[in-house]
Amino acid sequence: MSFKTNLIRARSHIVFMLALSTAFGIVITMENIDFENRVAARANIKNEISIPLSASRSLSSEEMEWAKIAWKYFENNTIAETGMVNSVDQYNASTLWDTSSYMMGLISAHRLKIITEENFKHRMTNLLTSLEALPLFEGKLPNKSYNTISLKMVDYTNRETVQGIGWSAIDIGRVMVPINALVWHYPEFTPEVQKVLARWDLAAMVDKGNLYGALREGKKTQILQEGRLGYEEYAAKSMQLMGYDVAEAIDYQSWLKFTDIYGINIATDSRRPEEFTAHNYVVSEPYILDGIEYGFDQISQQFSNRVYSVQEARYKDTGILTAVSEDNIDVAPYFVYNTVFTGGKAWNTITEAGDDASDFKSLSTKAAFGWHALYETDYTRKLIDVASKLHDPEKGWYSGLYEKTGKPNKALTANTNGIILETLAYKQLGPLLKPKQTELASR
């Protein structure tokens, strides 16, 4: 039998072997690509920018006055009958995120001895009673917004809706921070906390290690993966403390991509809004909250160092004091994201819908206070020199300062004032969820 004949007879085996080899080669290549991406990500993470965290210290008399100004907001916006606090000054609605900011502000005011023990316990008990009574979206989890007087579910225009508009996994993750703080530092509230959580189906927002929100449109409810780099990990940490598997949501490297700005590798989220429905914002707030509430882990501190450093670099390049985050504003569209990076652009300012909002680019008051609490550098002193003037002593802290006009953004919110109280409590007492030995010994 000739070689040619044998070759013809063997062609099917040859084709099979070639196909197998090709497939095997593709698998190896794909594994190598994944491995190389992960190595590159880890190398970038470990390519450290070192900024020491400032040491805890007693607040100055001026800083204590700043804390009292922040507390004024909550005195002016607490609904006595329900214990709820308005998200925005004199606007009778609140999201769970803003309720969380009130809870953290209340705990911080107590830690700083701005309010009495009796006032603290009355306010917290009243609030927890209302949280237990909230009607839940589809009977599972808190709606995205509530009327602070009636406790009824409302949409974002404060119109009552019997069905609700959905739940936010990130907002719920945020409220788990003060919930954990209460159980750890104030165990007398544990029975009330248990009553609240007994009604909430937290498992409905966690699946295969990810966080999921709910969105009702018309008569249909969509369950959507929620959270992007920064906020996703921040919210997941509190859910992990509650015993839930959030392995994917808490993994900084799952969707990690680095973007060079001023020669600094900034961690961004690689998920595109066209495909994954949500925008990716690099802002100050989740990293500040991670530091002042949990105490940083290695990765969150490194990412925080970079987000802070690139804002200082912009100041050195342009002379514009920079401390960016998302904020309410005092004119339409009333809420914007001032970012380090979003939508493929550095220093981009957009609305939640993705529309350009560059006219409202601002210095964020809460971001200035947060960076100063964490680092206390020459640059943060410049930030605080400006930010410390952005207040009404009888109403609280304004949200920021517009770059274009140099005028204050006079929006007054629970989130800004709650976070400012948190940052000042952190400066004196350290991270809320990392108790000192002296605190442990006293219990």
Side-chain angles (χ1 to χ4, degrees), residues 100-120:
S100 309
S101 293
Y102 167 49
M103 293 176 77
M104 295 301 291
L106 177 57
I107 291 169
S108 299
H110 178 258
R111 296 177 87 202
L112 291 172
K113 297 181 171 56
I114 292 172
I115 59 174
T116 64
E117 185 80 16
E118 182 182 8
N119 190 7
F120 172 71

Side-chain angles (χ1 to χ4, degrees), residues 111 184-186 425 428-443:
R111 296 177 87 202
W184 182 257
H185 294 284
Y186 306 96
Q428 180 159 298
L429 300 162
L432 179 62
L433 294 178
K434 188 181 286 184
K436 296 179 180 179
Q437 290 301 313
T438 53
E439 292 177 337
L440 288 171
S442 67
R443 292 200 175 274

Side-chain angles (χ1 to χ4, degrees), residues 213-231:
L215 173 65
R216 186 176 181 87
E217 290 184 328
K219 296 182 178 180
K220 293 184 178 181
T221 297
Q222 297 182 63
I223 303 298
L224 303 168
Q225 184 276 328
E226 190 176 329
R228 296 296 179 263
L229 188 73
Y231 280 114

